[in-house]
Amino acid sequence: MKSKAIENTGKRISLQTVERLSVYRKVLEELHRNGVEYVYSHQLAELVHVGSAQLRRDLATFGSFGNISKGYPVHAMILTISKLLGTDTLQNVALFGAGNLGRALLYYRGFEERGFRIAVVFDVDPDKVGRVLAGRRCYHEQELEQVLPEFNVTIAVLACGPESLIGLAHRLSKAGVRGILNFVPKQLPELKGVYTENIDISAKMEKLSFLYHFGGF
Amino acid sequence: MKSKAIENTGKRISLQTVERLSVYRKVLEELHRNGVEYVYSHQLAELVHVGSAQLRRDLATFGSFGNISKGYPVHAMILTISKLLGTDTLQNVALFGAGNLGRALLYYRGFEERGFRIAVVFDVDPDKVGRVLAGRRCYHEQELEQVLPEFNVTIAVLACGPESLIGLAHRLSKAGVRGILNFVPKQLPELKGVYTENIDISAKMEKLSFLYHFGGF
DNA sequence: ACTGAGCTGTGAATATAATAACAGCCAACA
DNA sequence: TGTTGGCTGTTATTATATTCACAGCTCAGT
């Protein structure tokens, strides 16, 4: 796997570790809600279906926080991981495309508790432009350059049509966006200084299909 | 990375290779639409942002199909990859949850051309049960055991609430489902004989956020 | 105080993935 | 027909990720 690892306090944090950290935090939040204060590596590891050694190693990449006999402090770990992921403070996100998927994302209540807020919506459909959807004003995609700076957006979510996708990506890059989450099943160009992450739902199904047809069990 | 590799014709196909195959096929489809008949590994590699050696190696895992001087035959490769992924024939999928996301998936036209068809919908909301959504009848989740067998479903997509998620997973397992695509940001249990794949949108954003905050470029 | 059970953090060992590099082939062309 | 350029498939190499296994610590129970 192409592993762009990041330099931290002398230790490198691989992207795979980062992905697991999201999961750890998610489960830790649940433990926290249940009043659990400390958790052992093997307990948490079992909850997230990961080896306990790997869990300890992941956590060790950004400094040790485990109490040697009580285990890991749940709440402190949540805060530490949040800070590492940059989600300790709310980030504004721009949504492109107010179709079925776009609106589903708009109405989803779960982003805020994970540190993200869809602040603006863009579309090309004249019927949608100018309207207010779930409290967010919908602008025309052409207005991107004027509107985006107002909202201090660093991440763009693409749930639009595939037509002008490439051009859009370049414009976003120029407009200062630093991350793109792309739901459109079409290849984006590589943009310098912008990290792009694809979510291809059909591809995930294909993976499941492969496993099923090959009897991967 | 936990690499459950699959035994094929003596060669193992890693899941990472499978994921890339989806991308290859997606791009190959586009080339095919544009009338391209053959493509060289370095051309395709550039389109998908992968090293050409890796591309050739990926393709070689299921037998060689590259014409040594013309490159790879676009259409034949599409068919071969489709067969490998099991998407050469349409597969029925069951959707759980007809909320915002669920409906977005229901109305999405793109699944069929990738080999999947949402055949049934389940929900717990009495307002939705019994209604027909985008041509698909909505059943109550309780009816799962009776209804599922009619539709020959092997993959379930979870876009429901987190409340009875674990129980649902176990029931799906018992009902013969072989793959679960889970959009609910909650940890599923490990089910013997069922492969589960999670799509956590917030987690993807967290990853982007991490990269941005750490200046991973 | 002392012992023992059980935890974390981590060096060492292993498994896996990505890259480089090249042998052998084919077509085009002189 | 001989030669050359550029391609694939694959082997060798390097880089990365995971797992093992244990030193060293902490506390509970005596």
Side-chain angles (χ1 to χ4, degrees), chain A residues 44-94:
Chain A
L44 185 52
E46 190 169 19
L47 288 172
V48 299
H49 314 310
V50 157
S52 69
Q54 178 154 101
L55 174 50
R56 289 199 300 279
R57 169 138 300 189
D58 282 340
L59 298 180
T61 51
F62 54 93
S64 311
F65 289 91
N67 183 308
I68 203 164
S69 60
K70 292 199 279 183
Y72 293 88
V74 173
H75 189 62
M77 285 249 307
I78 291 174
L79 296 178
T80 307
I81 296 178
S82 297
K83 190 160 286 185
L84 190 83
L85 297 177
T87 57
D88 50 336
T89 140
L90 211 60
Q91 288 183 65
N92 278 348
V93 169

Side-chain angles (χ1 to χ4, degrees), chain A:
Chain A
M1 167 161 275
K2 201 184 300 182
S3 105
K4 321 196 180 187
I6 305 303
E7 188 77 13
N8 189 13
T9 40
K11 286 171 179 164
R12 298 169 338 153
I13 302 186
S14 84
L15 288 187
Q16 315 205 48
T17 295
V18 172
E19 287 174 9
R20 285 191 294 267
L21 286 179
S22 281
V23 183
Y24 301 159
R25 205 192 62 151
K26 198 165 59 181
V27 174
L28 285 167
E29 295 270 12
E30 193 167 341
L31 291 175
H32 183 57
R33 279 195 299 274
N34 294 350
V36 179
E37 291 189 20
Y38 285 87
V39 66
Y40 293 126
S41 66
H42 66 267
Q43 298 175 316
L44 185 52
E46 190 169 19
L47 288 172
V48 299
H49 314 310
V50 157
S52 69
Q54 178 154 101
L55 174 50
R56 289 199 300 279
R57 169 138 300 189
D58 282 340
L59 298 180
T61 51
F62 54 93
S64 311
F65 289 91
N67 183 308
I68 203 164
S69 60
K70 292 199 279 183
Y72 293 88
V74 173
H75 189 62
M77 285 249 307
I78 291 174
L79 296 178
T80 307
I81 296 178
S82 297
K83 190 160 286 185
L84 190 83
L85 297 177
T87 57
D88 50 336
T89 140
L90 211 60
Q91 288 183 65
N92 278 348
V93 169
L95 172 66
F96 287 81
N100 290 318
L101 178 58
R103 282 198 306 272
L105 297 173
L106 259 182
Y107 287 97
Y108 176 57
R109 298 279 188 286
F111 290 134
E112 307 232 344
E113 68 194 27
R114 297 279 285 269
F116 301 98
R117 202 177 77 89
I118 298 181
V120 218
V121 196
F122 294 89
D123 204 306
V124 291
D125 183 349
D127 287 350
K128 286 167 191 152
V129 172
R131 286 177 54 192
V132 174
L133 303 165
R136 266 74 50 109
R137 172 92 185 279
C138 182
Y139 293 91
H140 195 283
E141 203 177 285
Q142 292 301 335
E143 308 175 81
L144 185 165
E145 282 82 3
Q146 286 79 50
V147 175
L148 260 198
E150 292 176 29
F151 288 95
N152 192 27
V153 162
T154 52
I155 293 178
V157 178
L158 307 189
C160 50
E163 297 82 21
S164 55
L165 194 74
I166 317 264
L168 177 58
H170 285 292
R171 288 171 63 202
L172 288 171
S173 168
K174 287 212 183 81
V177 162
R178 304 299 305 270
I180 294 180
L181 184 55
N182 176 38
F183 282 92
V184 187
K186 185 175 176 180
Q187 208 67 356
L188 286 186
E190 282 196 326
L191 303 165
K192 207 170 38 168
V194 181
Y195 194 82
T196 57
E197 192 71 18
N198 296 294
I199 297 185
D200 185 332
I201 301 170
S202 300
K204 288 280 189 180
M205 290 189 189
E206 286 164 3
K207 189 174 166 188
L208 290 172
S209 171
F210 169 82
L211 285 162
Y212 167 60
H213 284 276
F214 266 81
F217 289 98

